[in-house]
Amino acid sequence: MPSIDAPGIDPAAALQFVINAGAGRSDDDTRRQAIEAALQAAGRRGELRLCRPAELPGAAREAAARALATRTAVVAVGGDGTLNTVAQAAHAAGCAMGVVPQGTFNYFARTHGLPSDPAAAVQLLLNAAPAPVQVAGINDHVFLVNASLGLYPELLQDREAYKARFGRSRWVAFVAGCATLLRAQRRLRLHIEMGETARDVQTLTLFMGNNRLQLQQFGAEPADTLAGTPGDGSMAALMLRPIGTLSMIGLMLHGAMGRLGEAAGVESFEFQHLVVRPTLAPGRREVTVAFDGEVRRMRVPIDIRVLERPLFLLKATGAPA
């Protein structure tokens, strides 16, 4: 990661909060009141933008520009998708970013020791300093935790449908994942370029992980073959070869026990830059991808890399990198 000076923070400037009105279990008024109370108790100021999901990108860009101009930070309040949207704006603007996590898994926040309680998270922000953290890019989008093609984007879409019906919880997410895996049929044919090497593969999904905690919980950390580790110098790629229903059940059990890396049909490796060229039907130029819980269509080829410029995250002084 290159040496880049961290943006300055003026304690007198108002922190710029971007709050996803659709994230987490708390209602919006409770979340807002907790943030305002923590600011007031510390004698600090904040500007709070409460947004619906469709409004988040514009609000994040506006808040990041304001944070840069006033030498403060833009603060994301929500789950991994909200964090991604705000990180995109903060990284582009070059301002610092803070996090008040309110999602289901909160891999990014947990990796960096950020509490999920809004009052505690704000208290940490008020005594934090910007520290560089690795971010990755997929085409022209930033991602913090993971990106994927194939089965995993389908899993995310099914998970949202299950959440809408049964509510937000990790068990709902797990059951939705099982349902997606059991009906997995579609194969991806990919031409993958990594440096001077290239290969053609058939896979159900290609998953790129930028977060060591998530990979540890999967039990799917690759062997260290590059300098650094996933999230700190490199990323990890997981590929799932096409398998039958019984093998898929075994794969699910390995995943549930955090031993995915031991399952037959799973390949993992480290990388810093991949170019992926899927085989598509005639006339098609786009493929469905997912990153940090968001699902989009992107033009091929798909370029995935560790970005040279870090994101400056507000972390407790003295916290481990």
Side-chain angles (χ1 to χ4, degrees):
M1 191 177 291
S3 177
I4 299 174
D5 291 338
I9 297 292
D10 180 1
L15 288 166
Q16 303 294 309
F17 290 84
V18 178
I19 305 173
N20 183 354
R25 301 182 183 90
S26 309
D27 70 30
D28 301 330
D29 288 340
T30 301
R31 190 181 302 119
R32 178 196 287 269
Q33 289 167 10
I35 293 170
E36 290 176 338
L39 290 169
Q40 185 175 13
R44 296 283 292 274
R45 297 188 301 122
E47 295 181 9
L48 278 61
R49 295 171 172 82
L50 191 65
C51 313
R52 296 297 173 190
E55 301 167 339
L56 279 171
R61 289 191 295 269
E62 179 183 309
R66 176 73 173 158
L68 184 67
T70 58
R71 299 183 68 247
T72 186
V74 58
V75 181
V77 184
D80 285 337
T82 303
L83 269 57
N84 177 280
T85 299
V86 175
Q88 185 92 18
H91 189 263
C95 68
M97 174 177 165
V99 171
V100 178
Q102 297 288 288
T104 304
F105 292 98
N106 297 323
Y107 284 118
F108 182 75
R110 290 160 58 200
T111 295
H112 296 287
L114 307 177
S116 58
D117 176 71
V122 173
Q123 185 62 41
L124 183 149
L125 293 176
L126 300 179
N127 298 283
V133 300
Q134 175 176 299
V135 290
I138 179 166
N139 286 7
D140 56 347
H141 289 272
V142 164
F143 68 93
L144 303 174
V145 179
N146 61 53
S148 56
L149 292 79
L151 182 62
Y152 197 71
E154 293 179 21
L155 186 152
L156 292 176
Q157 290 174 317
D158 287 349
R159 190 177 77 185
E160 290 306 307
Y162 271 68
K163 283 181 180 179
R165 185 174 179 182
F166 300 111
R168 286 177 174 270
S169 80
R170 296 186 186 188
W171 280 111
V172 169
F174 176 72
V175 171
C178 291
T180 308
L181 289 171
L182 286 175
R183 59 177 174 78
Q185 298 292 334
R186 190 177 305 170
R187 301 183 181 192
L188 285 176
R189 290 176 171 80
L190 306 176
H191 179 77
I192 299 177
E193 300 168 8
M194 186 169 64
E196 296 181 356
T197 65
R199 58 188 294 204
D200 294 299
V201 301
Q202 288 190 49
T203 180
L204 292 176
T205 194
L206 173 63
F207 176 94
M208 286 75 65
N210 188 46
N211 184 279
R212 195 173 183 87
L213 174 62
Q214 186 181 50
L215 293 166
Q216 287 172 341
Q217 292 199 340
F218 285 172
E221 289 181 274
D224 286 336
T225 55
L226 297 176
T229 56
D232 183 21
S234 71
M235 277 190 281
L238 301 179
M239 289 194 298
L240 175 60
R241 300 188 190 95
I243 54 178
T245 302
L246 287 177
S247 297
M248 186 65 77
I249 292 172
L251 180 77
M252 289 159 51
L253 292 173
H254 277 84
M257 294 184 291
R259 295 165 51 189
L260 190 63
E262 301 174 15
V266 176
E267 178 186 348
S268 64
F269 58 91
E270 281 188 281
F271 73 97
Q272 292 171 330
H273 180 206
L274 281 183
V275 176
V276 181
R277 304 177 189 275
T279 299
L280 301 177
R284 288 186 58 193
R285 296 291 183 270
E286 294 183 332
V287 66
T288 301
V289 303
F291 52 93
D292 291 351
E294 303 295 306
V295 179
R296 302 271 184 92
R297 300 281 296 174
M298 285 188 180
R299 289 186 65 87
V300 298
I302 305 298
D303 186 286
I304 308 103
R305 67 179 68 213
V306 174
L307 297 180
E308 291 187 3
R309 185 156 58 92
L311 175 71
F312 284 94
L313 178 68
L314 289 183
K315 299 175 65 174
T317 305

